[in-house]
Amino acid sequence: MATDDTSRESGEASPLVKIRSLLPGLARAEQRVANIVLADPASISRRSITEVAEAAGTSETTVTRFCKAIGVGGYPDLRIALAADTARTSTRDRELGSDIAPDDDLRQIIEKVGYADAKAVEETAEQLDAAVLEPLVEDVAQARRIDVYGVGASAFVALDLQQKLHRIGLTCFAWSDTHNALTSAAVLREGDVAIGISHTGATAETVEALREARRRGATTAALTNFARSPITEVADHVLTTAVRETTYRSGAMASRIGQLTVIDCLFIGVAQRHLDQARAALEATYEAVGGHRLESRPDRRRQKEA
């Protein structure tokens, strides 16, 4: 979805994306302010700091602290940022961005799911900082070995990264079992890379495996939706997605879309640094599985006619 906003052109994320990312790490009173803002961002530009503080059951000082915590100078700056963000969002976008209602028909469900998935990709790409991604790309490209940890829905994303890196000749393992992840992490060393994938950033098994890998000297990276979650404390590199969760679309669904966007960017960056090797490996692997592709019916008819 195209925009003409200058901040979007410079790669700056929406203030709402930043608030959702930082929400779990905020103090409780600040979280109440965040929830007020997220519930109706358009109204904030018309409300005073006193009104917002009262609605959140807190003080004006807390509202100011909240503004600083999310990286804006103060409440006036927050109002301006939210007003600009609201102006970019059409009425149709606001409708499709709402939660799926119990009485929505399948047409509405399809529209809302499609919008949410597209928005997850768009907002994740907007806030993905190339300056943060590039050092990890370099580390992975030079690694002796790469471990990827993820459980539940994140395990599928870990397997996707393993398959991609393995196809260009890099040694990569994806682990979803806790014992296997820990025993693999225990034999890593300096020069290896371990990547933990967790939407919440609080998955104990993934955090534990990443901590063990770091203890053994490996470079560690986290892919999460929340920049101040526990997994970031054991990561040398932190990459974030920007996924909105709703009643029916929990982290097990929309999070994969955002995570795969980041994984694709990481993989392509690594492949560029092994361009000749990557091309040769991709051609070899494509040829290796070629015999397992069924011919199309028109092809079979042409062969019979010949």
Side-chain angles (χ1 to χ4, degrees), residues 34-306:
N35 288 327
I36 294 294
V37 174
L38 291 173
D40 190 5
S43 72
I44 299 300
S45 62
R46 303 187 300 271
R47 301 170 75 176
S48 69
I49 188 172
T50 303
E51 290 174 320
V52 172
E54 289 176 353
T58 188
S59 65
E60 295 179 15
T61 302
T62 299
V63 176
T64 301
R65 280 202 307 268
F66 161 76
C67 293
K68 292 180 178 178
I70 64 169
V72 297
Y75 187 68
D77 299 298
L78 176 65
R79 292 177 64 183
I80 292 170
L82 290 173
D85 201 56
T86 300
R88 287 192 296 266
T89 308
S90 68
T91 301
R92 177 174 169 79
D93 288 339
R94 286 193 289 272
E95 289 174 354
L96 292 179
S98 64
D99 202 350
I100 295 174
D103 58 349
D104 280 348
D105 60 31
L106 277 175
R107 179 189 57 79
Q108 292 171 308
I109 291 170
I110 291 168
E111 286 184 337
K112 288 185 177 182
V113 169
Y115 177 88
D117 285 353
K119 205 67 179 173
V121 173
E122 179 187 355
E123 293 184 341
T124 292
E126 283 172 358
Q127 58 82 54
L128 184 58
D129 191 344
V132 176
L133 179 62
E134 187 169 7
L136 178 58
V137 167
E138 296 292 347
D139 286 339
V140 171
Q142 299 171 21
R144 179 188 71 98
R145 165 179 165 172
I146 304 109
D147 264 17
V148 192
Y149 313 124
V151 300
S154 296
F156 298 105
V157 181
L159 284 169
D160 183 75
L161 179 56
Q162 178 199 11
Q163 189 263 354
K164 283 181 165 65
L165 294 178
H166 190 72
R167 281 199 68 179
I168 61 171
L170 300 186
T171 303
C172 182
F173 303 95
W175 306 106
S176 58
D177 177 85
T178 304
H179 288 198
N180 287 337
L182 286 171
T183 54
S184 182
V187 296
L188 296 181
R189 60 176 188 260
E190 187 175 348
D192 297 332
V193 173
I195 301 172
I197 302 174
S198 169
H199 175 73
T200 63
T203 307
E205 296 88 343
T206 305
V207 174
E208 185 181 4
L210 206 62
R211 181 183 292 112
E212 178 65 18
R214 192 184 206 187
R215 190 170 76 88
R216 298 293 177 170
T219 297
T220 56
L223 174 54
T224 178
N225 205 62
F226 303 105
R228 295 182 182 175
S229 54
I231 198 171
T232 65
E233 298 172 6
V234 293
D236 301 309
H237 306 285
V238 177
L239 303 176
T240 54
T241 55
V243 178
R244 314 178 190 195
E245 292 194 6
T246 64
T247 303
Y248 292 97
R249 294 186 55 76
S250 66
M253 297 173 67
S255 68
R256 291 199 301 272
I257 305 297
Q259 289 169 349
L260 289 169
T261 300
V262 177
I263 290 303
D264 283 350
C265 294
L266 172 62
F267 165 71
I268 293 172
V270 172
Q272 283 183 327
R273 284 151 179 79
H274 292 282
L275 194 56
D276 292 339
Q277 173 187 325
R279 283 176 175 167
L282 288 172
E283 289 174 3
T285 53
Y286 182 85
E287 182 181 348
V289 299
H292 292 270
R293 295 188 181 91
L294 298 176
E295 297 174 347
S296 65
R297 289 181 178 179
D299 288 340
R300 289 202 295 272
R301 279 200 300 269
R302 282 195 293 270
Q303 287 179 355
K304 289 178 180 179
E305 291 170 0

Side-chain angles (χ1 to χ4, degrees), residues 19-28 30-31 69 226-229:
I19 292 169
R20 284 192 292 267
S21 171
L22 297 175
L23 184 59
L26 298 175
R28 287 191 177 182
E30 293 171 359
Q31 286 183 353
F226 303 105
R228 295 182 182 175
S229 54

